């Protein structure tokens, strides 16, 4: 299986987390915000909001969601998946039928949304605390830098394709071909002239004048998702290498150990349910297999860490016994 096909197969099973959700632009009380929500119907939700100066974050498990809903909406009765879907729908896009209010509480922030479900008024409050600095880096700054790099790569590739088209057209002309209409004639592509023209164009000034509000269009949202997905794929490969080193250490009896791999980014309450590492065949007669151990894809990081500690403790005990035996032998000689 090629790398691209393996990645495609992995994408089908990867459920993702908050990182895989694209940012949505919200204008709230004349302020511009970006927000994203990850809903897991078996866990709860994770919510992130930023004005590019601060970032606020909230995690809620199912029990907490149920309690808050009962407190804010005593007359509203619905299963938890329905409540979570309602929250997701009202934060993925700004609804005209929903009222959004921002309340600042010290360093924290409360986003209040009010809407109607049938004839019943539904209210929800996102009680957010300032996020860790790493979240601003991992969820926004680094992905944006990757997107800039990728767009630059695509621009360069498009320039190459245009030059190739110019050579193709020139070949047709040398063979006697002509265009049927004069308005179809084009000049050969010159990247230097193109960049100069764009810098002095009216469209460039308008785009800069809009600020960052128009940064996340439908196309760039898709690019953000692909960047984050590819980063998760690359981190998955790094995790596989680290776990492979861990297994080698356990099987080979070496005294050096590598910490279990962790997906890059800030800690999240939700664990990815798809395997973090791809299945690997163990050698026949492997001590782990002989002891009835579960294959690596199904083992959690806690299981791996426990096995590592048990193996280390066993080796330390054996080493202590060997030293004790040597002392006894040495005492017997004298």
């Amino acid at each position: 299986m090629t790398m691209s096909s393996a990645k495609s197969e992995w994408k089908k099973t990867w459920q993702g987390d908050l990182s895989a959700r694209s940012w949505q632009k919200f204008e709230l009380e004349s302020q511009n915000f970006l927000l994203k929500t990850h809903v897991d119907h078996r866990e709860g939700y994770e919510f992130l909001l930023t004005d590019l100066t601060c970032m606020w974050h909230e995690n809620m498990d199912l029990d907490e969601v149920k309690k808050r809903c009962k407190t804010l909406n005593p007359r509203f009765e619905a299963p938890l998946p329905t409540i979570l879907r309602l929250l997701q729908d009202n934060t993925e896009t700004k609804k005209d039928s929903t009222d959004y209010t921002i309340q600042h509480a010290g360093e924290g922030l409360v986003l209040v949304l009010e809407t109607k479900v049938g004839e019943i008024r539904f209210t929800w409050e996102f009680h957010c605390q300032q996020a860790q600095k790493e979240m601003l880096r991992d969820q926004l700054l680094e992905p944006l830098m990757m997107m800039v790099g990728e767009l630059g790569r695509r621009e360069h590739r498009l320039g190459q394709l245009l030059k190739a088209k110019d050579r193709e057209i020139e070949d047709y002309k040398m063979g006697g071909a002509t265009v049927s209409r004069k308005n179809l004639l084009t000049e050969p592509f010159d990247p230097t002239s193109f960049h100069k023209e764009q810098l002095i164009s009216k469209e460039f000034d308008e785009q800069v004048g809009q600020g960052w509000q128009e940064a996340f269009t439908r196309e760039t949202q898709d690019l953000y998702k692909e960047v984050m997905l590819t980063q998760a794929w690359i981190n998955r490969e790094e995790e596989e290498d680290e776990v492979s080193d861990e297994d080698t250490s356990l099987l080979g009896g070496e005294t050096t150990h590598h910490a279990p791999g962790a997906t890059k980014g800030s800690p999240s309450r939700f664990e990815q349910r798809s395997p973090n590492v791809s299945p690997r065949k163990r050698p026949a007669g492997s001590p782990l297999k002989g002891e009835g151990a579960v294959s690596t894809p199904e083992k959690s990081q806690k299981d791996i860490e426990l096995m590592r500690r048990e193996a280390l403790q066993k080796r330390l005990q054996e080493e202590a016994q060997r030293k004790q035996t040597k002392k006894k032998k040495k005492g017997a000689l004298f």
Side-chain angles (χ1 to χ4, degrees):
M1 184 181 290
T2 63
M3 180 67 72
S4 59
S5 59
K7 180 181 175 181
S8 298
E9 288 298 316
W10 178 81
K11 284 172 63 176
K12 294 177 182 178
T13 58
W14 188 61
Q15 295 183 9
D17 54 13
L18 184 66
S19 299
R21 306 295 174 254
S22 62
W23 290 97
Q24 307 294 330
K25 186 191 75 170
F26 269 61
E27 184 177 338
L28 306 171
E29 300 179 356
S30 301
Q31 284 184 277
N32 290 305
F33 293 88
L34 292 174
L35 64 83
K36 57 158 67 180
T37 309
H38 172 60
V39 170
D40 189 318
H41 290 253
R42 293 165 294 182
E43 296 286 350
Y45 72 75
E46 195 168 4
F47 179 78
L48 203 56
L49 178 76
T50 181
D51 61 359
L52 299 191
T53 301
C54 296
M55 181 171 281
W56 298 273
H57 176 247
E58 184 184 42
N59 261 336
M60 291 282 283
D61 63 28
L62 292 180
D63 289 337
E64 292 169 332
V65 171
K66 189 175 181 179
K67 290 177 182 177
R68 182 174 293 178
C69 185
K70 189 174 182 179
T71 301
L72 296 174
N73 307 278
R75 295 178 55 226
F76 183 80
E77 294 184 5
L80 281 172
T82 301
I83 298 171
L84 291 171
R85 196 177 305 113
L86 186 62
L87 297 178
Q88 186 173 18
D89 290 343
N90 282 276
T91 52
E92 282 189 340
T93 56
K94 189 178 180 182
K95 305 287 187 181
D96 293 335
S97 57
T98 301
D99 295 326
Y100 301 84
T101 307
I102 290 288
Q103 299 174 358
H104 291 273
E107 293 185 348
L109 177 146
V110 179
L111 172 61
V112 182
L113 61 88
E114 294 179 301
T115 189
K116 271 193 173 183
V117 181
E119 296 299 321
I120 300 177
R121 192 73 176 173
F122 178 83
T123 302
W124 192 261
E125 296 178 356
F126 294 93
H127 291 261
C128 305
Q129 300 299 321
Q130 276 202 357
Q132 298 176 1
K133 293 180 180 179
E134 290 78 8
M135 293 195 80
L136 179 62
R137 177 197 67 199
D138 297 338
Q139 298 288 342
L140 189 61
L141 297 181
E142 278 194 359
L144 285 177
M145 295 299 101
M146 295 176 196
M147 290 168 65
V148 169
E150 171 57 16
L151 290 173
R153 184 195 69 82
R154 293 185 184 187
E155 181 183 341
H156 178 70
R157 179 57 182 155
L158 285 172
Q160 291 178 325
L161 292 174
L162 285 172
K163 288 184 177 180
K165 288 293 183 182
D166 285 339
R167 290 193 295 269
E168 182 181 358
I169 293 171
E170 185 64 26
D171 186 67
Y172 290 149
K173 289 181 178 179
M174 293 178 65
T178 58
V179 296
S180 59
R181 289 175 290 176
K182 288 185 178 181
N183 64 337
L184 296 177
L185 286 170
T186 57
E187 294 292 331
F189 178 69
D190 179 13
T192 302
S193 299
F194 172 76
H195 288 142
K196 288 181 179 179
E197 290 172 2
Q198 295 306 306
L199 289 175
I200 62 175
S201 67
K202 179 182 178 182
E203 290 78 10
F204 176 72
D205 292 343
E206 290 176 348
Q207 183 64 41
V208 174
Q210 290 176 351
W212 58 269
Q213 293 91 334
E214 301 301 322
F216 283 98
T217 62
R218 177 61 63 86
E219 291 77 15
T220 52
Q221 284 178 345
D222 291 341
L223 178 58
Y224 178 91
K225 289 180 182 178
E226 289 299 321
V227 164
M228 300 304 278
L229 187 147
T230 302
Q231 187 181 46
W233 165 260
I234 294 171
N235 288 340
R236 164 206 160 279
E237 291 182 316
E238 293 176 354
E239 284 185 353
E240 181 176 356
D241 292 339
E242 291 176 353
V243 173
S244 180
D245 291 343
E246 178 78 22
D247 292 343
T248 301
S249 176
L250 289 171
L251 294 173
E254 298 176 2
T255 56
T256 57
H257 303 278
H258 299 276
T263 303
K264 181 181 178 182
S266 305
S268 169
R269 176 173 295 182
F270 305 133
E271 296 290 334
Q272 295 179 9
R273 287 172 179 75
S274 58
N276 284 331
V277 294
S278 61
R280 306 188 310 281
K281 294 182 179 178
R282 293 193 181 277
S286 164
L288 291 178
K289 189 172 183 178
E291 294 172 5
V294 183
S295 59
T296 301
E298 288 77 18
K299 291 188 301 184
S300 66
Q301 295 293 351
K302 290 183 179 179
D303 294 332
I304 295 173
E305 179 67 14
L306 180 60
M307 291 172 61
R308 184 188 72 79
R309 291 180 180 178
E310 289 176 349
L312 177 59
Q313 186 177 9
K314 183 178 180 181
R315 283 196 290 273
L316 291 173
Q317 290 175 349
E318 291 174 350
E319 182 66 23
Q321 289 176 357
R322 283 196 296 270
K323 289 181 179 180
Q324 189 66 24
T325 303
K326 287 181 180 180
K327 288 181 179 180
K328 289 181 178 179
K329 289 182 178 180
K330 186 175 181 181
L333 290 175
F334 296 96

